[in-house]
Amino acid sequence: MANVLSVNVGVARPVEGKSGLSAIDKRPVDHPVAVREPGPAASGVAGDEICDKKHHGGPDQAVYAYAREDLDAWETELATPLPSGVFGENLTTRGVDVTRAEVGERWRIGPDLELQVTEPRIPCRVFAVWMELQGWIKTFTQRAIPGAYLKVITPGSVSAGDEITVVHRPGHGVTIGMMFRAITTESELLPDLLAADDLSDDLRSWITSRLAK
């Protein structure tokens, strides 16, 4: 059964090697957490802060999910423990192939919450500083298991242990992994992304502008 292994929230804390604050240090909580559509540059997860309001947050990045199976693979590759939440994910999942989730795919979590897969996480300098690994952005990009952002379709609460059910899969084949590769290393895939009806307006505009060059 696919489920939420942990729900993780972050508050603004200093990050070594970076001026200012970041909330990438997300830590598991042991109580139900409300999830709702956020305003611009905000998180959809109650108690979770966004510090880099220019690049993160908002309705299309309301929740970030990463698979425990992928964290386990990274643990082996990096030879270091990786607790749930360490990648800055709000939901650490088990039993869901997040990389192969399609854009527009909908997940029912628990009795009420419904989320829709929107786009992959693109690694940034803060992520690299936080991980304290030489060449981390390049390594993360080459492995192409980025995790997925989700938007809120139906608000609700989420707790560790909640079942995840895929209630809709569009069938167009545009997966999170494919989108990540198209944006980062395989630009020849960009035209194929337009097959996804549920692309955000910003992302569709960005793809169209790139193809026009």
Side-chain angles (χ1 to χ4, degrees):
M1 180 184 74
N3 69 343
V4 176
L5 187 64
S6 72
V7 182
N8 317 299
V9 301
V11 297
R13 298 184 178 95
V15 173
E16 186 175 351
K18 175 185 180 291
S19 60
L21 302 172
S22 172
I24 194 171
D25 180 10
K26 302 201 188 298
R27 303 178 185 182
V29 297
D30 59 2
H31 55 78
V33 178
V35 179
R36 78 285 186 249
E37 181 177 356
S43 173
V45 179
D48 186 52
E49 294 187 37
I50 299 289
C51 293
D52 183 355
K53 297 182 182 298
K54 181 178 179 180
H55 298 106
H56 298 292
D60 292 314
Q61 295 185 2
V63 180
Y64 176 48
Y66 205 85
R68 183 65 244 182
E69 293 88 344
D70 293 333
L71 284 174
D72 291 344
W74 280 116
E75 281 193 336
T76 299
E77 181 171 336
L78 301 175
T80 189
L82 295 174
S84 296
V86 70
F87 277 14
E89 77 273 14
N90 301 114
L91 304 180
T92 309
T93 65
R94 189 179 294 282
V96 177
D97 192 337
V98 178
T99 304
R100 293 185 181 178
E102 290 187 354
V103 175
E105 183 173 304
R106 294 192 179 191
W107 300 355
R108 174 66 57 82
I109 302 179
D112 302 310
L113 181 63
E114 187 169 319
L115 304 176
Q116 183 178 62
V117 174
T118 57
E119 59 193 58
R121 183 253 197 88
I122 305 299
C124 63
R125 177 177 172 273
V126 173
F127 191 24
V129 170
W130 169 243
M131 293 298 293
E132 298 181 325
L133 294 169
Q134 186 69 29
W136 174 244
I137 290 179
K138 181 178 180 181
T139 300
F140 187 84
T141 300
Q142 288 176 335
R143 291 282 278 110
I145 45 175
Y149 284 115
L150 303 103
K151 70 187 298 183
V152 178
I153 301 299
T154 304
S157 66
V158 60
S159 302
D162 280 351
E163 183 175 359
I164 301 173
T165 303
V166 177
V167 295
H168 171 68
R169 188 170 173 88
H172 48 57
V174 179
T175 65
I176 285 295
M178 173 185 169
M179 179 178 285
F180 181 81
R181 298 195 312 275
I183 292 171
T184 58
T185 61
E186 300 178 38
S187 59
E188 65 273 14
L189 294 175
L190 284 172
D192 298 334
L193 301 185
L194 297 175
D197 294 334
D198 293 300
L199 288 177
S200 69
D201 292 339
D202 287 347
L203 189 52
R204 187 175 293 275
S205 295
W206 180 84
I207 294 168
T208 302
S209 66
R210 284 289 303 273
L211 294 176
K213 292 181 179 179

